[in-house]
Amino acid sequence: MGMAGKPVVGIIGGSGVYDLEGLTDKQWRTVDTPWGRPSDQLLFASLDGAPVVFLPRHGRGHPLSPSGINYRANIDALKRSGVTEIVSVSAVGSLREDLPPGRFLLVDQYIDRTFAREKSFFGNGCVAHVSVAHPVCGRLGRHLLQAAAESGIDMVAGGTYLAMEGPQFSTLAESKLYRAWGCDVIGMTNMPEAKLAREAELCYASVAMVTDYDCWHPEHDHVTVEQIVKVLLSNADKARGLVRAVVPLLQARDAACGQGCHTALDHALITAPDQRDPLLVGKLDAVAGRVLAK
Ligand SMILES: CSC[C@H]1O[C@H](OP(=O)(O)O)[C@H](O)[C@@H]1O
Ligand SMILES: Nc1ncnc2[nH]cnc12
């Protein structure tokens, strides 16, 4: 199915979102990739006749830590499965007084402070540099905002997500620093996920669910997993409802992404064809086949 054809929505469920309701024709399938194993099997299903593919980011039962997730395998597996746009759902800490636990926010920018993860599909033997100036797809974001409005969810339109390595939460000095940098929310998983989605020419947008005030707020306890899970449990249904509402909206689209997500590799490759490593080029079949097969 071409990018300009009917969309196939991929959903990456974060903490607390290990399945989706309201789906029919459900089938969990193993998808192998040249980058290793994805976090779990992928759930292929239909939502009111539209194809969707769901992947729990940490695996069912949450066996995987943020640093242990194979982000490349996850994005490759979604691309290989025909996905054209990815909706991520993530638990985040709030770095702003006016973003209390329970609030939803559509991320539009990132600061990537992760350091112990594979961040690119490309490298020696096939070098590519894509733009991530605008890492979130504007069209997908607008559809998510509309879906939120239709579902009665108050979702803040735009904010900067600080991606930290973890797994420990931040020190107080770090939390204050990220606030001083103008960041709005903090999490451990959206990077390099968003960068890899861009390399794979997939539209990407992330719905952040605020679960806590991290550790900077003088009147709130410092974040704990217990608190996160409590807030998650009361909001996961809302997140699932939002995802369900966005799928039919996306079905109406009839063109490839105007922002260029689906053509991100058009001018990104710099390694001369005779200098390319055939092994790496082979691994890039799903991610970059569109431009490498030329
Ligand atoms: C379970 S608390 C911390 C954990 O939750 C977030 O993950 P996700 O984005 O998959 O919801 C956060 O980034 C941490 O990995
Ligand atoms: N305070 C926090 N820091 C990092 N990741 C989080 N996920 C949810 N809350 C978080």
Side-chain angles (χ1 to χ4, degrees):
M1 204 170 294
M3 289 294 179
K6 282 285 174 204
V8 179
V9 181
I11 300 128
I12 302 182
S15 300
V17 183
Y18 309 108
D19 62 52
L20 277 182
E21 287 144 26
L23 302 179
T24 52
D25 310 321
K26 283 162 73 162
Q27 203 184 14
W28 287 94
R29 269 190 243 154
T30 302
V31 179
D32 293 322
T33 86
W35 315 95
R37 295 176 62 169
S39 296
D40 203 331
Q41 291 183 309
L42 276 64
L43 176 63
F44 291 79
S46 308
L47 188 71
D48 300 329
V52 295
V53 184
F54 173 78
L55 174 63
R57 178 183 282 124
H58 301 270
R60 282 168 284 178
H62 210 120
L64 298 174
S65 85
S67 311
I69 292 169
N70 188 338
Y71 295 93
R72 293 193 300 191
N74 286 354
I75 297 297
D76 179 292
L78 290 167
K79 173 95 186 184
R80 200 172 283 286
S81 301
V83 163
T84 53
E85 14 256 294
I86 295 178
V87 174
S88 142
V89 180
S90 274
V92 295
S94 168
L95 298 171
R96 257 172 48 189
E97 180 83 52
D98 61 346
L99 290 177
R103 184 60 51 84
F104 283 65
L105 178 143
L106 180 70
V107 177
D108 67 352
Q109 278 296 332
Y110 290 97
I111 292 182
D112 184 6
R113 294 253 307 164
T114 63
F115 51 82
R117 307 168 186 198
E118 294 291 350
K119 296 210 183 186
S120 178
F121 290 107
F122 299 92
N124 292 350
C126 191
V127 179
H129 303 280
V130 298
S131 169
V132 284
H134 298 288
V136 169
C137 175
R139 178 171 69 178
L140 186 52
R142 282 191 296 279
H143 281 116
L144 281 164
L145 287 169
Q146 192 185 334
E150 286 176 5
S151 316
I153 297 170
D154 185 12
M155 184 155 79
V156 176
T160 299
Y161 175 122
L162 187 294
M164 61 177 292
E165 186 61 46
Q168 302 86 359
F169 293 115
S170 307
T171 65
L172 178 57
E174 287 165 342
S175 200
K176 286 180 169 171
L177 177 67
Y178 304 150
R179 274 167 54 73
W181 283 354
C183 299
D184 302 294
V185 294
I186 181 163
M188 304 177 189
T189 62
N190 279 197
M191 283 294 175
E193 193 173 88
K195 287 175 174 169
L196 293 167
R198 178 59 50 82
E199 286 190 344
E201 300 192 316
L202 298 172
C203 298
Y204 180 91
S206 191
V207 173
M209 280 190 287
V210 175
T211 51
D212 54 83
Y213 273 115
D214 201 36
C215 64
W216 61 270
H217 201 300
E219 284 144 38
H220 288 268
D221 290 340
H222 299 166
V223 54
T224 62
V225 167
E226 188 190 11
Q227 184 199 356
I228 291 177
V229 170
K230 199 171 145 211
V231 179
L232 274 178
L233 288 179
S234 49
N235 285 283
D237 277 351
K238 264 171 86 180
R240 285 190 275 254
L242 174 55
V243 170
R244 278 203 299 273
V246 82
V247 171
L249 293 178
L250 279 165
Q251 293 309 301
R253 76 136 171 90
D254 57 3
C257 174
Q259 184 183 313
C261 302
H262 292 154
T263 47
L265 292 175
D266 269 358
H267 306 289
L269 291 168
I270 189 159
T271 305
D274 65 344
Q275 290 299 314
R276 289 180 190 159
D277 171 4
L279 262 180
L280 178 53
V281 169
K283 288 171 78 172
L284 288 163
D285 62 337
V287 161
R290 188 186 71 82
V291 287
L292 285 171
K294 277 178 189 167

